[in-house]
Amino acid sequence: MISEPSRHCAVELKALPSRIGQVRRIISAQLRYWHLDPLIDQAALGVTELLTNVHRHAQPDKSCTVEIELLLDRLTVSVHDHDPRLPTVCDADQSATSGRGLAMIAAVSESWGVRPSDDAGKVIWFTLSAPSFTTTAALHSLPVYGSTTDGPFGSDVAGLMEPTAARTRARSAVVG
């Protein structure tokens, strides 16, 4: 059986307001590519909160790295910045307009935490439970693109990928 036990994506950036929206779109696109659409809203909310904290609080600079990693049935989203100060969860007043970021992450995630980084700074992370599916199920639910010949395996293998009646011409679309 072929499996992908781990998938990883990292983005380095300066946590500026314009970049936060871009990273949120990158994370969303990557999760769509991994067929993890149900996790997009939670991951986008969490990464937005963490990057906003870097923008508002991190010293000496706003440079950071956002990483997402899918390991079996767990998606971990982390942000590494260069500020060694560890954040704390605040009890925000009802009328406060900020101070709820880590509490929101705790509410939408399965787990979260903060750890000092080996090379200075810290890493704040949270995990989401990913829907699990087997490679076989993925092969049967996803269209197969590419070769239009039987290749070196003969026509029997091609029939395993999708039933003969379900075969259609390959299509492509460009979104403008």
Side-chain angles (χ1 to χ4, degrees), residues 12-25:
E12 293 182 17
L13 69 141
K14 286 219 183 253
L16 303 174
S18 62
R19 297 288 294 161
I20 293 171
Q22 291 172 342
V23 171
R24 189 173 49 243
R25 288 187 293 277

Side-chain angles (χ1 to χ4, degrees), residues 31-82:
L31 293 178
R32 266 190 228 82
Y33 179 73
W34 289 344
H35 305 286
L36 295 173
D37 298 46
L39 302 182
I40 291 173
D41 290 341
Q42 293 164 293
L45 172 68
V47 81
T48 299
E49 292 301 325
L50 294 180
L51 289 175
T52 299
N53 283 351
V54 172
H55 172 71
R56 295 183 75 184
H57 304 292
Q59 299 294 329
D61 60 27
K62 308 301 178 192
S63 297
C64 62
T65 302
V66 175
E67 292 185 70
I68 58 173
E69 182 175 30
L70 178 64
L71 184 58
L72 300 176
D73 64 347
R74 183 120 19 264
L75 180 74
T76 302
V77 179
S78 61
V79 175
H80 170 233
D81 66 39
H82 299 113

Side-chain angles (χ1 to χ4, degrees), residues 74-131:
R74 183 120 19 264
L75 180 74
T76 302
V77 179
S78 61
V79 175
H80 170 233
D81 66 39
H82 299 113
D83 190 341
R85 296 175 298 158
L86 301 179
T88 57
V89 178
C90 300
D91 267 340
D93 185 65
Q94 285 183 331
S95 61
T97 58
S98 63
R100 294 181 184 85
L102 291 177
M104 286 193 333
I105 289 171
V108 302
S109 67
E110 187 173 88
S111 61
W112 74 278
V114 180
R115 62 178 161 75
S117 177
D118 295 337
D119 62 342
K122 65 184 169 296
V123 177
I124 304 177
W125 56 270
F126 64 92
T127 63
L128 301 171
S129 181

